[in-house]
């Protein structure tokens, strides 16, 4: 009965159940993101106690031979970087509320998992075709960022029908890298691992190099718009394991990489689906998931993102559709000019190169394989006016951050988030119910 074109109207009971399933308040969340409170526990925004925990955690990991500190020359200049940067270690500490033993257990499990599955080699050697097939099955980066500089991903579930899933599964027999032919891990999971590596090793470093309100703190999270409109209960059920793979992997080995998830287009039966989904996440993650009514979508998204960074189908101005390569803003395009591709017939904008790429600060590394042959190109990243300014702002901001992570000044762009958050809060219950019912 859920496969028809029309979704049954939501009753007051349905709305109540949805509300009770997710009590997270998008207006309160937008208000929290408007200042610097969201940076608590992040690099350069640590309390003295948190900073002490970080030092103790690094010492423990070094003692256990899972972390190598940076090597400095006599003049204090870094001669060799640490095996893991502080921002990465802090993700594990935040995931365990700065409990050192808990963070160590998860960090060790993750490092062992990365070694056992040769994750870095996987990302370097996955075929471009396999990578692209996987990219079309999971959340996709739009090429844009929110007001804080966090990359925005979109996941439109209705496209993952039986035909799409079958076509994706058919690629599993030929796309496994030579380095992983003997792996006992299913090919679909290997491909998913590669997508997470792209987030950590390409998108986040790129976002960290771009101008934003708090350049002293690296970007280590992503924001996701999950569009469940037009999806029937049967399709949700069929995709349960597909979606669960991603959530379980993120919770176990990529902790604290999620900023927020905005679920839009929820049908009347969604409380049932939410009952499954919330079991896949820990309470900390579920607190970051917001189920938006139709009336809340535009004001909530615009409280976090500029209209130019919101796809048109969600009330914004961005020309981006499911399956598209990222539609980069100009600062991103300047840094990635070296991997832009020529315009194809009918294209209005240039795409960047498909497949795995590393962002290494002053250069890009093009990886992956095409027809069994390795891609190994080094592409210099130009020093743009924006990137130079971003680096200068990062150094300046680091000096000005107070010990407890508080800042005396809120930027104008941050104030905008708070102002729009008030508008979200002002939406009447009657208006939301009418919109959802429609």
């Amino acid at each position: 009965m859920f496969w028809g074109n029309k979704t049954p109207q939501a009753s007051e009971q349905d709305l109540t159940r949805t509300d009770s399933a997710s009590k997270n308040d998008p207006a309160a969340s937008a208000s929290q993101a408007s200042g610097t409170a969201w940076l608590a526990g992040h690099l350069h925004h640590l309390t003295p106690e948190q900073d002490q925990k970080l030092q103790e955690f690094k010492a423990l990991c070094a003692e256990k031979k899972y972390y190598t500190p940076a090597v400095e020359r006599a003049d204090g200049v870094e001669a060799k970087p640490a095996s893991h940067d502080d921002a990465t270690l802090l993700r594990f500490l935040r995931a365990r509320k700065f409990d050192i033993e808990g963070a160590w257990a998860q960090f060790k499990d993750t490092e062992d998992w990365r070694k056992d599955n040769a994750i870095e080699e996987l990302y370097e050697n996955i075929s471009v075709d396999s990578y692209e097939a996987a990219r079309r099955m999971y959340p996709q980066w739009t090429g844009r960022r929110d007001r804080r500089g966090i990359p925005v991903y979109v996941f439109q579930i209705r496209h993952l029908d039986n035909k799409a899933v079958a076509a994706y599964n058919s690629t599993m027999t030929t796309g496994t890298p030579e380095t992983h032919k003997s792996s006992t891990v299913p090919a679909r999971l290997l491909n998913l691992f590669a997508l997470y590596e792209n987030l950590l090793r390409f998108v986040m470093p790129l976002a960290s190099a771009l101008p934003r309100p708090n350049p002293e703190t690296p970007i280590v999270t992503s924001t996701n718009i999950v569009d469940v409109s037009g999806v029937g209960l049967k399709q949700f059920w069929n995709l349960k394991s597909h979606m669960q793979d991603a959530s379980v992997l993120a919770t176990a080995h990529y902790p604290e990489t999620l900023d927020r998830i905005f679920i839009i287009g929820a049908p009347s039966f969604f409380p049932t689906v939410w009952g499954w989904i919330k079991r896949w996440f820990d309470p900390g993650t579920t607190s970051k998931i917001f189920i938006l009514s139709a009336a809340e979508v535009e004001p909530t998204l615009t409280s976090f993102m500029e209209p130019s960074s919101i796809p048109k189908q969600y009330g914004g101005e961005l020309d981006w559709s499911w399956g598209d390569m990222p539609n980069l803003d100009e600062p991103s395009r300047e840094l990635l000019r070296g991997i832009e591709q020529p315009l194809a017939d009918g294209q209005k904008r240039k795409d960047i190169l498909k497949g795995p790429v590393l962002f290494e600060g002053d250069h890009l590394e093009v990886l992956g394989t095409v027809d069994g042959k390795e891609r190994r190109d080094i592409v210099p990243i130009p020093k743009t006016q924006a990137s130079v300014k971003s680096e200068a702002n990062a150094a300046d901001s680091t000096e000005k951050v107070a010990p407890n992570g508080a800042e005396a000044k809120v930027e104008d762009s941050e104030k905008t988030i708070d102002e729009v958050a008030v508008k979200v809060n002002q939406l009447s219950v009657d208006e939301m119910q009418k919109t959802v019912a429609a």
Side-chain angles (χ1 to χ4, degrees), residues 286-301:
T286 55
S287 70
K288 302 174 183 178
I289 300 175
F290 301 86
I291 303 174
L292 305 181
S293 71
E296 290 176 302
V297 172
E298 185 175 349
T300 298
L301 295 185

Side-chain angles (χ1 to χ4, degrees), residues 33 116 151 172 181 187 200 218 257 332 350 406:
D116 292 344
M172 299 300 164
K181 289 291 187 183
L200 259 64
T257 54
S332 300
K350 293 181 179 180

Side-chain angles (χ1 to χ4, degrees), residues 9-263:
Q9 289 191 345
S11 66
E12 289 187 9
Q13 183 180 8
D14 289 327
L15 291 169
T16 301
R17 291 171 63 202
T18 302
D19 183 61
S20 63
S22 178
K23 298 179 180 179
N24 302 331
D25 182 358
S29 180
S31 180
Q32 185 263 356
S34 67
T36 56
W38 68 277
L39 287 166
H42 288 251
L43 190 62
H44 300 306
H45 291 265
L46 303 176
T47 64
E49 293 78 12
Q50 289 171 338
D51 186 63
Q52 179 62 33
K53 293 284 188 181
L54 173 61
Q55 304 312 317
E56 293 175 10
F57 183 47
K58 291 163 74 170
L60 175 61
C61 294
E63 177 189 341
K64 301 290 187 179
K65 309 298 184 186
Y66 278 73
Y67 168 77
T68 304
V71 177
E72 293 186 353
R73 300 199 311 243
D75 58 2
V77 176
E78 187 176 83
K80 183 179 179 181
S83 59
H84 303 75
D85 59 30
D86 286 357
T88 297
L89 298 177
L90 282 168
R91 287 198 292 106
F92 288 87
L93 282 170
R94 287 197 304 277
R96 292 293 174 259
K97 301 186 185 302
F98 283 82
D99 172 61
I100 294 176
E101 290 300 326
W104 156 246
Q106 185 172 15
F107 181 71
K108 178 183 182 300
D109 286 347
T110 295
E111 289 300 295
D112 290 343
W113 169 81
R114 292 183 67 86
K115 181 179 179 180
D116 292 344
N117 290 282
I119 298 299
E120 292 189 8
E121 291 82 357
L122 169 68
Y123 188 63
E124 293 170 0
N125 294 286
I126 189 172
S127 78
V128 173
D129 287 343
S130 293
Y131 180 90
E132 179 62 15
R135 187 187 71 84
R136 291 174 172 272
M137 296 296 290
Y138 290 98
Q140 300 171 6
W141 183 39
T142 62
R144 299 304 171 100
R145 301 165 294 138
D146 70 11
R147 298 180 190 275
R148 297 163 295 162
I150 295 173
V152 177
Y153 281 70
V154 170
F155 191 20
Q156 292 182 352
I157 295 179
R158 65 180 175 275
H159 297 287
L160 307 187
D161 54 20
N162 289 340
K163 182 178 179 181
V165 173
Y168 177 57
N169 289 337
S170 69
T171 68
M172 299 300 164
T173 57
T174 58
T176 304
E178 290 296 328
T179 53
H180 289 70
K181 289 291 187 183
S182 60
S183 174
T184 58
V185 177
R188 75 175 193 282
L189 292 182
L190 292 176
N191 292 347
L192 179 57
F193 299 166
L195 295 182
Y196 269 107
E197 288 300 293
N198 182 261
L199 171 65
L200 259 64
R201 303 173 70 187
F202 175 68
V203 178
M204 287 178 178
L206 167 63
S208 297
L210 294 168
R212 52 203 167 87
N214 294 95
E216 75 282 357
T217 301
I219 296 295
V220 294
T221 57
S222 67
T223 288
N224 290 254
I225 300 171
V226 179
D227 184 349
V228 298
S229 61
V231 182
L233 184 59
K234 183 177 180 180
Q235 186 177 0
F236 269 119
W237 181 259
N238 291 340
L239 291 171
K240 187 169 69 166
S241 62
H242 178 81
M243 294 186 289
Q244 189 173 12
D245 286 342
S247 60
V248 170
L249 178 63
T251 300
H253 300 307
Y254 295 90
E256 291 295 305
T257 54
L258 172 67
D259 182 71
R260 284 163 177 79
I261 292 179
F262 298 112
I263 297 178

